[in-house]
Amino acid sequence: MTDGVNNIDEDDGFSEVVTLGNDDPLRLSSGEILSPFKVAYKCWGTLNEDKSNAILICHALTGDQYARGKNPLTGKEGWWPKLIGPGLPIDTNKYFVICPNVLGSCSGSSGPKEDDPETGEPYGLDFPVITIADMVAAQVRLIDHLKIDKLFSVIGGSMGGMQVLHWAVNHETRVRTAIPIASTWRHSAQNIAFHEVGRQAIMADPNWRNGRYFETDIRPHAGLSVARMAAHITYMSEKSLTSKFGRALQDREKLTFGFDADFQVESYLRYQGISFVDRFDANSYLYITRAMDYYDISTNYGGSLTAAFENTPVKFCIMSFTSDWLYTTEESREMVRALNAVGAKVSFVEIDMDKGHDSFLLDCPEMFNIISGFLAAEASFSGIKLNE
Amino acid sequence: MNRDHNIHRASDIRVDLLLIADMIPHGARVLDVGCGNGELLEYLRLNKNVDGRGIELSPEGVNESVAKGLSVIQGNAEEEISHFPDNSFDFVILSQTLQAMGRPDRILQELLRVSKRAIVSFPNFGNWRVRLHLMLHGRMPVTKSLDYPWYSTPNIHFCTMRDFVDLCDELEIKIEKKMAVNSSGSKMFFNSLLLSNLLGTQGLYVLTRE
């Protein structure tokens, strides 16, 4: 238990792991039960007196709770450093910002890498298959634990945006505003297909050992690295790959007529793969991609997106990027149109950026301005007393 | 909460927008098609407690609108309006945007599908200065408010007030209110179409379904 909500290191916030669900088990979409389970999370800023200034940040597939500040596992800066912080668009002087690690991931929250409390050894594939809904259910428990009734905003990109939508549709009384960025309302056949390539690469690696690689010192690095390489291509646009690398050769004058990384783009992808395996768990990659593939916000509403949004009190601000071919503008527009069809309050901007899906993680002044403007206006209308 | 400091004075918004705002009742549901930076919607929300929505093509306009706390979506008006259900608004506004539409006739019908009433304003190409310019110079008029050359202008469907009245007739749209607006954006006080079409720089109409 923590009672240190207001006791925050000025620079970095604190990182906590809380154990929940001891008395109140978490029933998952699959019907399986998690009890207890752990949620690792990080906070910045100070919760105001009536607890109305809390913003939940939802991370993407391979993200973690270290949205800002130094990530102790990688030694690198957090993944949204220019968006969250004092004086930044999500201003930690004004808002109380929470970023949890999702269920199934590998940065402290319950997942295949963590010990099963029943056996005392890592879950591996004994960890139940989870969904986006389950990730959000765990976050709801965290918010309960922090004694926050209603979040001022839930914000996230890519898979983070899926969690945002799930919050808005299924926990609509606990969210004031929702900002899904570069996201989608259901995984398409193409999305699932790319993920399946990644999973097969991992499972084809003999070192994967049916998910029990933790019993040895060897990890399925080759498989995980190929999975990351394939996925990384989907995060970039053709234009950004071309302008970054073209057909330039890697440290050589001419082709070698072999299968070494002749081209810069090959070398870059191999680097992306290799640097990923040190920070991410192969089984987590299987579980989280599965959760994304299972995701369709309309499932419980007869396949109708309009029905999912009917009577929503949540105010939405949706953003997409012109060059994102993974979760396209068209998919965001489908959400916008469904929201308009039910008379919901929604703003939408397609941001002109040529860096592909990953644009949401990059320096994007237009996205920053929209987020800060939307939040400030909403705080003013709702009469929320922000910290000075 | 006291928001008095936010209340817009009449002088804060364009005079022609104020003419439109004056016609909108308190608490109405309003869609502003081509809402620009959200100036009118913000005024309506603060002064008339209007539940407003906007469609705007330019990202800059949408950004400014969102920063004002308005619900505005970026997109092509002719495409996006088709996704709103019938009768979802009390008023729909098309201010100075009709001439940029691919099919002004279809957009008028769409406006009156999503809303009971439509307020439409447009630059009047029947104005005497425009007529004189064309007669004297033999070139397409370029006015102060619409200063694009003919080949690159987004304003592709100019009309006169008489053309507009004819189109409404043809589409069986009822003109509930009409006025000519002068170059400073104020209402001109005469009723004759001949004079309006000659002297008005803008036509401003309130339309309903027959």
Side-chain angles (χ1 to χ4, degrees):
Chain A
M1 286 294 285
T2 172
D3 47 19
V5 171
N6 294 315
N7 179 17
I8 291 149
D9 181 305
E10 270 183 14
D11 272 326
D12 238 5
F14 60 85
S15 191
E16 284 281 340
V17 182
V18 63
T19 301
L20 301 165
N22 264 319
D23 311 324
D24 189 7
L26 189 68
R27 181 171 287 276
L28 303 172
S29 310
S30 62
E32 301 239 10
I33 300 268
L34 269 187
S35 175
F37 62 95
K38 293 189 296 176
V39 179
Y41 65 101
K42 218 166 137 71
C43 301
W44 303 268
T46 308
L47 192 59
N48 65 5
E49 210 165 293
D50 62 357
K51 301 180 175 174
S52 61
N53 70 336
I55 294 179
L56 184 77
I57 305 291
C58 301
H59 70 70
L61 167 57
T62 67
D64 48 41
Q65 67 271 40
Y66 302 102
R68 71 163 272 110
K70 195 171 163 185
N71 182 329
L73 303 176
T74 62
K76 289 185 180 156
E77 200 175 30
W79 47 272
W80 249 354
K82 290 189 177 168
L83 189 64
I84 306 165
L88 296 180
I90 301 174
D91 191 343
T92 51
N93 291 331
K94 296 177 178 167
Y95 304 105
F96 178 61
V97 180
I98 311 154
C99 183
N101 184 218
V102 298
L103 218 54
S105 185
C106 48
S107 195
S109 291
S110 286
K113 192 181 103 180
E114 298 295 320
D115 286 347
D116 181 344
E118 275 179 29
T119 63
E121 62 172 69
Y123 278 105
L125 294 195
D126 291 335
F127 193 73
V129 167
I130 43 127
T131 61
I132 299 289
D134 297 331
M135 294 176 185
V136 171
Q139 292 164 2
V140 171
R141 297 292 186 87
L142 173 67
I143 300 310
D144 288 341
H145 165 74
L146 296 174
K147 302 197 165 50
I148 295 166
D149 277 342
K150 192 165 191 166
L151 293 163
F152 173 62
S153 194
V154 187
I155 306 172
S158 193
M159 186 186 84
M162 299 175 187
Q163 296 158 61
V164 171
L165 282 172
H166 191 87
W167 266 98
V169 168
N170 294 282
H171 304 279
E172 72 279 8
T173 58
R174 304 202 61 182
V175 185
R176 205 176 281 279
T177 63
I179 311 184
I181 306 165
S183 194
T184 184
W185 58 279
R186 65 170 169 199
H187 240 211
S188 69
Q190 192 190 38
N191 298 147
I192 297 168
F194 272 112
H195 273 176
E196 177 60 1
V197 170
R199 285 189 295 263
Q200 288 300 332
I202 291 168
M203 295 187 289
D205 186 330
N207 292 331
W208 179 62
R209 295 165 52 96
N210 270 321
R212 298 196 68 80
Y213 49 82
F214 48 83
E215 290 168 348
T216 71
D217 289 335
I218 308 163
R219 298 282 172 271
H221 281 177
L224 182 58
S225 142
V226 170
R228 177 62 169 180
M229 287 166 76
H232 196 80
I233 300 169
T234 70
Y235 303 152
M236 295 181 74
S237 65
E238 188 193 355
K239 192 177 170 188
S240 61
L241 277 178
T242 302
S243 66
K244 213 167 174 168
F245 309 110
R247 292 181 50 82
L249 300 180
Q250 178 69 25
D251 302 330
R252 65 202 67 193
E253 302 289 308
K254 49 185 198 280
L255 303 176
T256 62
F257 292 92
F259 298 102
D260 203 14
D262 272 358
F263 293 101
Q264 279 184 10
V265 66
E266 293 173 301
S267 166
Y268 169 79
L269 271 186
R270 289 182 186 188
Y271 173 78
Q272 289 299 327
I274 290 161
S275 59
F276 181 63
V277 298
D278 291 330
R279 71 172 181 90
F280 213 81
D281 178 64
N283 284 337
S284 276
Y285 197 86
L286 300 180
Y287 277 89
I288 300 181
T289 54
R290 203 76 192 124
M292 293 170 80
D293 291 347
Y294 280 180
Y295 170 76
D296 177 350
I297 202 78
S298 73
T299 302
N300 294 337
Y301 300 88
S304 159
L305 192 53
T306 320
F309 289 134
E310 187 93 59
N311 297 322
T312 182
V314 178
K315 192 162 174 180
F316 291 81
C317 179
I318 298 177
M319 276 170 267
S320 70
F321 294 92
T322 45
S323 56
D324 185 350
W325 58 273
L326 187 64
Y327 303 135
T328 61
T329 287
E330 199 48 36
E331 288 165 271
S332 283
R333 277 203 191 280
E334 284 164 6
M335 300 190 259
V336 172
R337 287 166 184 165
L339 283 162
N340 274 322
V342 298
K345 292 194 160 127
V346 54
S347 291
F348 167 70
V349 192
E350 180 188 28
I351 297 171
D352 190 0
M353 196 147 160
D354 64 10
K355 299 283 191 283
H357 179 63
D358 264 354
S359 297
F360 81 95
L361 289 169
L362 305 176
D363 201 355
C364 178
E366 198 179 344
M367 178 178 84
F368 296 168
N369 289 340
I370 290 165
I371 293 176
S372 65
F374 177 77
L375 292 177
E378 281 317 302
S380 154
F381 289 136
S382 337
I384 284 171
K385 200 163 165 359
L386 298 177
N387 301 324
E388 300 284 328
Chain B
M1 193 179 58
N2 182 0
R3 281 200 223 104
D4 278 354
H5 62 283
N6 278 337
I7 298 291
H8 274 216
R9 286 177 301 278
S11 59
D12 287 342
I13 84 168
R14 251 168 45 204
V15 185
D16 58 321
L17 292 183
L18 197 61
L19 275 181
I20 295 174
D22 282 345
M23 291 190 266
I24 308 241
H26 214 82
R29 294 171 304 162
V30 174
L31 173 66
D32 188 351
V33 180
C35 65
N37 65 7
E39 186 181 16
L40 177 60
L41 280 174
E42 188 187 33
Y43 177 90
L44 288 171
R45 188 189 54 206
L46 295 173
N47 294 279
K48 297 210 165 177
N49 196 27
V50 151
D51 180 15
R53 301 285 188 279
I55 304 175
E56 170 59 32
L57 190 58
S58 82
E60 299 77 24
V62 180
N63 294 357
E64 283 189 52
S65 301
V66 173
K68 289 173 178 146
L70 299 167
S71 295
V72 171
I73 63 167
Q74 192 204 346
N76 172 300
E78 288 169 293
E79 168 63 24
E80 290 312 315
I81 197 171
S82 68
H83 299 282
F84 285 89
D86 296 357
N87 297 311
S88 20
F89 298 97
D90 302 313
F91 279 87
V92 55
I93 298 164
L94 188 72
S95 162
Q96 303 286 333
T97 306
L98 183 70
Q99 74 282 355
M101 297 287 122
R103 286 294 298 264
D105 56 336
R106 289 191 191 147
I107 196 86
L108 288 181
Q109 287 170 310
E110 273 297 281
L111 296 179
L112 289 173
R113 179 185 64 78
V114 301
S115 174
K116 196 160 177 239
R117 287 193 166 72
I119 302 180
V120 178
S121 75
F122 56 88
N124 173 30
F125 259 53
N127 179 275
W128 67 272
R129 281 194 193 82
V130 178
R131 299 189 198 196
L132 193 66
H133 184 102
L134 186 57
M135 196 171 87
L136 290 181
H137 302 289
R139 293 197 170 92
M140 284 301 281
V142 174
T143 64
K144 224 190 305 174
S145 54
L146 300 162
D147 65 346
Y148 293 95
W150 65 272
Y151 47 83
S152 63
T153 179
N155 301 306
I156 49 174
H157 283 126
F158 282 121
C159 68
T160 70
M161 288 174 77
R162 193 176 290 280
D163 289 329
F164 185 78
V165 171
D166 288 349
L167 176 61
C168 290
D169 263 357
E170 201 182 307
L171 300 175
E172 298 183 337
I173 288 170
K174 188 174 151 199
I175 295 173
E176 205 174 66
K177 215 184 248 181
K178 58 182 185 290
M179 63 182 81
V181 176
N182 67 22
S183 53
S184 61
S186 307
K187 183 179 173 180
M188 300 174 86
F189 290 92
F190 37 73
N191 219 2
S192 127
L193 179 56
L194 183 80
L195 282 177
S196 297
N197 197 21
L198 197 58
L199 299 175
T201 56
Q202 269 186 57
L204 178 57
Y205 291 82
V206 180
L207 311 173
T208 64
R209 277 161 265 171
E210 280 285 8

